[in-house]
CSV table of all heavy atoms in Angstrom, one decimal:
chain,number,residue,atom,x,y,z
A,1482,GLN,N,99.8,-4.1,140.5
A,1482,GLN,CA,99.1,-2.9,141.1
A,1482,GLN,C,99.7,-2.4,142.4
A,1482,GLN,O,99.8,-1.2,142.7
A,1482,GLN,CB,97.6,-3.3,141.3
A,1482,GLN,CG,96.8,-3.5,140.1
A,1482,GLN,CD,96.8,-2.3,139.1
A,1482,GLN,OE1,96.7,-1.1,139.6
A,1482,GLN,NE2,97.0,-2.5,137.9
A,1483,THR,N,100.3,-3.4,143.1
A,1483,THR,CA,101.0,-3.0,144.4
A,1483,THR,C,102.2,-2.2,144.0
A,1483,THR,O,102.6,-1.2,144.7
A,1483,THR,CB,101.4,-4.3,145.1
A,1483,THR,OG1,100.2,-5.0,145.5
A,1483,THR,CG2,102.1,-3.9,146.4
A,1484,MET,N,102.9,-2.7,143.0
A,1484,MET,CA,104.1,-2.0,142.6
A,1484,MET,C,103.8,-0.5,142.1
A,1484,MET,O,104.5,0.4,142.4
A,1484,MET,CB,104.8,-2.7,141.4
A,1484,MET,CG,106.0,-2.0,140.8
A,1484,MET,SD,106.6,-2.8,139.3
A,1484,MET,CE,105.2,-2.5,138.2
A,1485,LEU,N,102.8,-0.4,141.3
A,1485,LEU,CA,102.4,0.9,140.7
A,1485,LEU,C,101.9,1.8,141.8
A,1485,LEU,O,102.3,3.1,141.8
A,1485,LEU,CB,101.3,0.8,139.7
A,1485,LEU,CG,101.6,0.0,138.4
A,1485,LEU,CD1,100.4,-0.1,137.5
A,1485,LEU,CD2,102.8,0.7,137.7
A,1486,LYS,N,101.3,1.3,142.9
A,1486,LYS,CA,100.9,2.1,144.0
A,1486,LYS,C,102.1,2.6,144.8
A,1486,LYS,O,102.1,3.8,145.2
A,1486,LYS,CB,99.9,1.3,144.9
A,1486,LYS,CG,99.3,2.1,146.0
A,1486,LYS,CD,98.4,1.2,146.8
A,1486,LYS,CE,97.8,2.1,148.0
A,1486,LYS,NZ,96.8,1.2,148.8
A,1487,LYS,N,103.1,1.7,145.0
A,1487,LYS,CA,104.3,2.1,145.7
A,1487,LYS,C,105.1,3.2,145.0
A,1487,LYS,O,105.7,4.1,145.5
A,1487,LYS,CB,105.1,0.9,146.1
A,1487,LYS,CG,104.5,0.0,147.1
A,1487,LYS,CD,105.4,-1.1,147.4
A,1487,LYS,CE,104.8,-2.0,148.5
A,1487,LYS,NZ,105.7,-3.1,148.9
A,1488,LEU,N,105.1,3.0,143.6
A,1488,LEU,CA,105.8,4.0,142.8
A,1488,LEU,C,105.0,5.2,142.5
A,1488,LEU,O,105.6,6.2,141.9
A,1488,LEU,CB,106.2,3.3,141.5
A,1488,LEU,CG,107.2,2.2,141.6
A,1488,LEU,CD1,107.5,1.5,140.2
A,1488,LEU,CD2,108.6,2.7,142.1
A,1489,LYS,N,103.8,5.3,142.9
A,1489,LYS,CA,102.9,6.4,142.7
A,1489,LYS,C,102.8,6.8,141.2
A,1489,LYS,O,102.9,7.9,140.8
A,1489,LYS,CB,103.4,7.6,143.5
A,1489,LYS,CG,103.5,7.4,145.0
A,1489,LYS,CD,104.1,8.5,145.8
A,1489,LYS,CE,104.2,8.2,147.3
A,1489,LYS,NZ,104.8,9.3,148.0
A,1490,LEU,N,102.5,5.8,140.4
A,1490,LEU,CA,102.4,6.0,139.0
A,1490,LEU,C,100.9,5.9,138.6
A,1490,LEU,O,100.3,4.9,138.6
A,1490,LEU,CB,103.2,4.9,138.2
A,1490,LEU,CG,104.7,5.0,138.3
A,1490,LEU,CD1,105.4,3.8,137.6
A,1490,LEU,CD2,105.3,6.3,137.8
A,1491,SER,N,100.4,7.1,138.3
A,1491,SER,CA,99.0,7.1,137.8
A,1491,SER,C,99.0,7.3,136.3
A,1491,SER,O,100.0,7.4,135.6
A,1491,SER,CB,98.3,8.3,138.5
A,1491,SER,OG,98.9,9.5,138.1
A,1492,ASN,N,97.8,7.5,135.7
A,1492,ASN,CA,97.7,7.7,134.3
A,1492,ASN,C,98.3,9.0,133.9
A,1492,ASN,O,98.9,9.0,132.7
A,1492,ASN,CB,96.2,7.7,133.9
A,1492,ASN,CG,95.5,6.4,134.0
A,1492,ASN,OD1,96.2,5.3,133.9
A,1492,ASN,ND2,94.2,6.4,134.2
A,1493,ALA,N,98.3,10.0,134.7
A,1493,ALA,CA,99.0,11.2,134.4
A,1493,ALA,C,100.5,11.0,134.3
A,1493,ALA,O,101.1,11.6,133.4
A,1493,ALA,CB,98.7,12.3,135.5
A,1494,GLU,N,101.1,10.2,135.1
A,1494,GLU,CA,102.5,9.9,135.1
A,1494,GLU,C,102.8,9.1,133.8
A,1494,GLU,O,103.9,9.3,133.2
A,1494,GLU,CB,103.0,9.2,136.3
A,1494,GLU,CG,103.3,10.1,137.5
A,1494,GLU,CD,102.1,10.7,138.1
A,1494,GLU,OE1,101.1,10.0,138.2
A,1494,GLU,OE2,102.2,11.9,138.4
A,1495,PHE,N,101.9,8.2,133.5
A,1495,PHE,CA,102.2,7.4,132.3
A,1495,PHE,C,102.2,8.3,131.0
A,1495,PHE,O,103.0,8.2,130.1
A,1495,PHE,CB,101.1,6.4,132.1
A,1495,PHE,CG,101.4,5.1,132.8
A,1495,PHE,CD1,101.1,5.0,134.2
A,1495,PHE,CD2,101.9,4.0,132.2
A,1495,PHE,CE1,101.3,3.8,134.9
A,1495,PHE,CE2,102.2,2.8,132.9
A,1495,PHE,CZ,101.9,2.7,134.2
A,1496,ASP,N,101.3,9.3,131.0
A,1496,ASP,CA,101.2,10.2,129.9
A,1496,ASP,C,102.5,11.1,129.9
A,1496,ASP,O,103.0,11.4,128.8
A,1496,ASP,CB,100.0,11.1,130.0
A,1496,ASP,CG,98.7,10.4,129.7
A,1496,ASP,OD1,98.8,9.3,129.1
A,1496,ASP,OD2,97.6,10.8,130.2
A,1497,ARG,N,102.9,11.5,131.0
A,1497,ARG,CA,104.1,12.4,131.1
A,1497,ARG,C,105.4,11.6,130.6
A,1497,ARG,O,106.2,12.2,129.9
A,1497,ARG,CB,104.3,12.7,132.6
A,1497,ARG,CG,105.5,13.7,132.8
A,1497,ARG,CD,105.6,14.0,134.3
A,1497,ARG,NE,106.9,14.6,134.6
A,1497,ARG,CZ,107.4,14.6,135.8
A,1497,ARG,NH1,106.8,14.0,136.8
A,1497,ARG,NH2,108.6,15.2,136.0
A,1498,ILE,N,105.5,10.3,131.0
A,1498,ILE,CA,106.6,9.5,130.5
A,1498,ILE,C,106.6,9.3,129.0
A,1498,ILE,O,107.6,9.4,128.3
A,1498,ILE,CB,106.6,8.2,131.2
A,1498,ILE,CG1,106.9,8.3,132.7
A,1498,ILE,CG2,107.6,7.2,130.6
A,1498,ILE,CD1,106.7,7.1,133.6
A,1499,ALA,N,105.3,9.1,128.4
A,1499,ALA,CA,105.2,8.9,127.0
A,1499,ALA,C,105.6,10.2,126.3
A,1499,ALA,O,106.3,10.2,125.2
A,1499,ALA,CB,103.8,8.5,126.6
A,1500,ASP,N,105.2,11.3,126.8
A,1500,ASP,CA,105.6,12.6,126.2
A,1500,ASP,C,107.1,12.9,126.2
A,1500,ASP,O,107.6,13.4,125.3
A,1500,ASP,CB,104.8,13.8,127.0
A,1500,ASP,CG,103.4,13.8,126.7
A,1500,ASP,OD1,102.9,13.2,125.8
A,1500,ASP,OD2,102.6,14.4,127.6
A,1501,ALA,N,107.7,12.4,127.4
A,1501,ALA,CA,109.2,12.6,127.5
A,1501,ALA,C,109.9,11.7,126.4
A,1501,ALA,O,110.9,12.2,125.8
A,1501,ALA,CB,109.6,12.2,128.9
A,1502,VAL,N,109.4,10.5,126.2
A,1502,VAL,CA,110.0,9.7,125.1
A,1502,VAL,C,109.8,10.3,123.8
A,1502,VAL,O,110.8,10.4,122.9
A,1502,VAL,CB,109.3,8.3,125.2
A,1502,VAL,CG1,109.8,7.4,124.0
A,1502,VAL,CG2,109.7,7.6,126.5
A,1503,ALA,N,108.6,10.8,123.5
A,1503,ALA,CA,108.3,11.4,122.2
A,1503,ALA,C,109.2,12.7,122.0
A,1503,ALA,O,109.8,12.9,120.9
A,1503,ALA,CB,106.9,11.8,122.1
A,1504,LYS,N,109.4,13.5,123.0
A,1504,LYS,CA,110.2,14.7,122.9
A,1504,LYS,C,111.7,14.3,122.7
A,1504,LYS,O,112.3,14.9,121.9
A,1504,LYS,CB,110.1,15.5,124.2
A,1504,LYS,CG,110.9,16.8,124.2
A,1504,LYS,CD,110.6,17.6,125.4
A,1504,LYS,CE,111.4,18.9,125.5
A,1504,LYS,NZ,111.2,19.7,126.7
A,1505,ALA,N,112.1,13.3,123.4
A,1505,ALA,CA,113.5,12.9,123.3
A,1505,ALA,C,113.8,12.3,121.9
A,1505,ALA,O,114.8,12.6,121.2
A,1505,ALA,CB,113.9,11.8,124.3
A,1506,GLU,N,112.8,11.5,121.3
A,1506,GLU,CA,113.0,10.9,120.0
A,1506,GLU,C,112.9,11.9,118.9
A,1506,GLU,O,113.3,11.6,117.8
A,1506,GLU,CB,112.0,9.8,119.9
A,1506,GLU,CG,112.3,8.6,120.8
A,1506,GLU,CD,111.3,7.4,120.6
A,1506,GLU,OE1,110.3,7.7,119.9
A,1506,GLU,OE2,111.6,6.3,121.1
A,1507,SER,N,112.2,13.1,119.2
A,1507,SER,CA,112.1,14.1,118.1
A,1507,SER,C,113.4,14.7,117.7
A,1507,SER,O,113.6,15.3,116.6
A,1507,SER,CB,111.1,15.2,118.6
A,1507,SER,OG,111.7,15.9,119.6
A,1508,LYS,N,114.4,14.5,118.6
A,1508,LYS,CA,115.8,15.1,118.4
A,1508,LYS,C,116.8,14.1,117.8
A,1508,LYS,O,117.9,14.5,117.7
A,1508,LYS,CB,116.3,15.8,119.6
A,1508,LYS,CG,115.3,16.8,120.2
A,1508,LYS,CD,115.8,17.3,121.6
A,1508,LYS,CE,114.9,18.3,122.2
A,1508,LYS,NZ,115.3,18.8,123.6
A,1509,THR,N,116.3,12.9,117.6
A,1509,THR,CA,117.3,11.9,117.3
A,1509,THR,C,116.6,10.8,116.4
A,1509,THR,O,115.4,10.6,116.4
A,1509,THR,CB,117.9,11.2,118.5
A,1509,THR,OG1,118.7,10.1,118.1
A,1509,THR,CG2,116.8,10.7,119.4
A,1510,THR,N,117.4,10.1,115.6
A,1510,THR,CA,116.9,8.9,114.9
A,1510,THR,C,116.9,7.7,115.8
A,1510,THR,O,116.4,6.6,115.3
A,1510,THR,CB,117.7,8.7,113.6
A,1510,THR,OG1,119.1,8.5,114.0
A,1510,THR,CG2,117.6,9.8,112.7
A,1511,GLY,N,117.4,7.8,117.0
A,1511,GLY,CA,117.4,6.7,117.9
A,1511,GLY,C,116.0,6.5,118.5
A,1511,GLY,O,115.1,7.3,118.4
A,1512,GLU,N,115.8,5.3,119.0
A,1512,GLU,CA,114.5,4.9,119.6
A,1512,GLU,C,114.7,4.5,121.1
A,1512,GLU,O,115.7,3.8,121.4
A,1512,GLU,CB,113.9,3.7,118.8
A,1512,GLU,CG,113.5,4.1,117.4
A,1512,GLU,CD,112.3,5.0,117.3
A,1512,GLU,OE1,111.4,4.9,118.2
A,1512,GLU,OE2,112.2,5.8,116.4
A,1513,ILE,N,113.7,4.8,121.9
A,1513,ILE,CA,113.8,4.5,123.3
A,1513,ILE,C,112.6,3.7,123.7
A,1513,ILE,O,111.4,4.1,123.5
A,1513,ILE,CB,113.9,5.9,124.2
A,1513,ILE,CG1,115.1,6.7,123.8
A,1513,ILE,CG2,113.9,5.5,125.6
A,1513,ILE,CD1,115.1,8.1,124.4
A,1514,LYS,N,112.8,2.6,124.3
A,1514,LYS,CA,111.8,1.8,124.8
A,1514,LYS,C,112.0,1.6,126.4
A,1514,LYS,O,113.1,1.2,126.8
A,1514,LYS,CB,111.7,0.4,124.2
A,1514,LYS,CG,110.8,-0.6,124.8
A,1514,LYS,CD,109.3,-0.1,124.7
A,1514,LYS,CE,108.8,0.0,123.2
A,1514,LYS,NZ,107.4,0.4,123.2
A,1515,ILE,N,111.0,1.9,127.2
A,1515,ILE,CA,111.1,1.8,128.6
A,1515,ILE,C,110.1,0.8,129.2
A,1515,ILE,O,108.9,0.8,128.8
A,1515,ILE,CB,111.0,3.2,129.3
A,1515,ILE,CG1,111.1,3.1,130.8
A,1515,ILE,CG2,109.6,3.9,128.9
A,1515,ILE,CD1,111.3,4.4,131.5
A,1516,VAL,N,110.6,-0.2,129.9
A,1516,VAL,CA,109.8,-1.3,130.5
A,1516,VAL,C,110.0,-1.4,131.9
A,1516,VAL,O,111.1,-1.3,132.5
A,1516,VAL,CB,110.2,-2.6,129.8
A,1516,VAL,CG1,109.3,-3.7,130.3
A,1516,VAL,CG2,110.0,-2.5,128.2
A,1517,LEU,N,108.9,-1.6,132.7
A,1517,LEU,CA,108.9,-1.7,134.1
A,1517,LEU,C,108.3,-3.1,134.4
A,1517,LEU,O,107.2,-3.5,133.9
A,1517,LEU,CB,108.1,-0.6,134.8
A,1517,LEU,CG,107.8,-0.7,136.2
A,1517,LEU,CD1,109.1,-0.6,137.1
A,1517,LEU,CD2,106.8,0.4,136.7
A,1518,ALA,N,109.0,-3.9,135.3
A,1518,ALA,CA,108.5,-5.2,135.7
A,1518,ALA,C,108.5,-5.2,137.3
A,1518,ALA,O,109.4,-4.7,137.9
A,1518,ALA,CB,109.4,-6.3,135.2
A,1519,PRO,N,107.5,-5.9,137.9
A,1519,PRO,CA,107.5,-6.1,139.3
A,1519,PRO,C,108.7,-6.9,139.8
A,1519,PRO,O,109.2,-6.6,140.9
A,1519,PRO,CB,106.2,-6.9,139.6
A,1519,PRO,CG,105.3,-6.6,138.4
A,1519,PRO,CD,106.3,-6.5,137.2
A,1520,GLU,N,109.1,-7.9,139.0
A,1520,GLU,CA,110.2,-8.7,139.3
A,1520,GLU,C,110.7,-9.4,138.1
A,1520,GLU,O,109.9,-9.6,137.1
A,1520,GLU,CB,109.9,-9.7,140.4
A,1520,GLU,CG,108.7,-10.6,140.1
A,1520,GLU,CD,108.3,-11.5,141.3
A,1520,GLU,OE1,108.9,-11.4,142.4
A,1520,GLU,OE2,107.4,-12.3,141.1
A,1521,SER,N,111.9,-9.8,138.0
A,1521,SER,CA,112.5,-10.4,136.8
A,1521,SER,C,112.3,-11.9,136.8
A,1521,SER,O,112.4,-12.6,135.8
A,1521,SER,CB,114.0,-10.0,136.6
A,1521,SER,OG,114.1,-8.7,136.3
A,1522,ALA,N,112.0,-12.5,137.9
A,1522,ALA,CA,111.7,-13.9,138.0
A,1522,ALA,C,110.9,-14.2,139.3
A,1522,ALA,O,110.8,-13.3,140.2
A,1522,ALA,CB,113.1,-14.7,138.1
A,1523,HIS,N,110.3,-15.3,139.4
A,1523,HIS,CA,109.5,-15.7,140.5
A,1523,HIS,C,110.3,-16.1,141.7
A,1523,HIS,O,109.8,-16.0,142.9
A,1523,HIS,CB,108.4,-16.8,140.2
A,1523,HIS,CG,107.3,-16.3,139.3
A,1523,HIS,ND1,106.4,-15.4,139.8
A,1523,HIS,CD2,107.0,-16.6,138.0
A,1523,HIS,CE1,105.5,-15.2,138.8
A,1523,HIS,NE2,105.9,-15.8,137.7
A,1524,TYR,N,111.4,-16.7,141.5
A,1524,TYR,CA,112.3,-17.1,142.6
A,1524,TYR,C,111.7,-18.1,143.6
A,1524,TYR,O,112.0,-18.1,144.8
A,1524,TYR,CB,112.8,-15.9,143.4
A,1524,TYR,CG,113.5,-14.8,142.6
A,1524,TYR,CD1,113.0,-13.5,142.5
A,1524,TYR,CD2,114.6,-15.1,141.9
A,1524,TYR,CE1,113.6,-12.6,141.7
A,1524,TYR,CE2,115.3,-14.2,141.1
A,1524,TYR,CZ,114.7,-12.9,141.0
A,1524,TYR,OH,115.3,-11.9,140.3
A,1525,ALA,N,110.7,-18.9,143.1
A,1525,ALA,CA,110.0,-19.8,143.9
A,1525,ALA,C,110.9,-20.9,144.6
A,1525,ALA,O,110.7,-21.3,145.7
A,1525,ALA,CB,108.9,-20.5,143.1
A,1526,PHE,N,111.9,-21.3,143.8
A,1526,PHE,CA,112.9,-22.3,144.4
A,1526,PHE,C,113.5,-21.8,145.6
A,1526,PHE,O,113.6,-22.5,146.7
A,1526,PHE,CB,113.9,-22.6,143.3
A,1526,PHE,CG,115.1,-23.5,143.9
A,1526,PHE,CD1,114.9,-24.8,144.1
A,1526,PHE,CD2,116.3,-22.9,144.2
A,1526,PHE,CE1,115.9,-25.6,144.7
A,1526,PHE,CE2,117.3,-23.6,144.7
A,1526,PHE,CZ,117.2,-25.0,144.9
C-alpha cells in the first residue's frame, strides 16, 4: 500500500492500464503481462 500510494496508482489508473493492454493486444497476436512488486527480495541478510 505504501508503494501504491507513492506511485499514485488508484483504481482508475488500474483500469487505464488494463485498457492499454487490451488495446495493444487487439493489434497483435502477442500477449503482454505487466507485474509490479514492492521489492524483488527481502534482503534481510
Side-chain angles (χ1 to χ4, degrees):
Q1482 292 303 318
T1483 301
M1484 174 191 67
L1485 294 178
K1486 185 177 180 180
K1487 289 184 177 181
L1488 291 175
K1489 300 176 182 178
L1490 292 176
S1491 62
N1492 290 334
E1494 274 70 41
F1495 275 81
D1496 293 338
R1497 184 183 168 200
I1498 293 169
D1500 291 340
V1502 173
K1504 183 178 179 180
E1506 290 182 349
S1507 68
K1508 303 174 183 178
T1509 175
T1510 56
E1512 294 290 329
I1513 301 172
K1514 174 60 66 176
I1515 180 167
V1516 180
L1517 171 65
E1520 56 189 1
S1521 289
H1523 285 293
Y1524 304 118
F1526 169 79

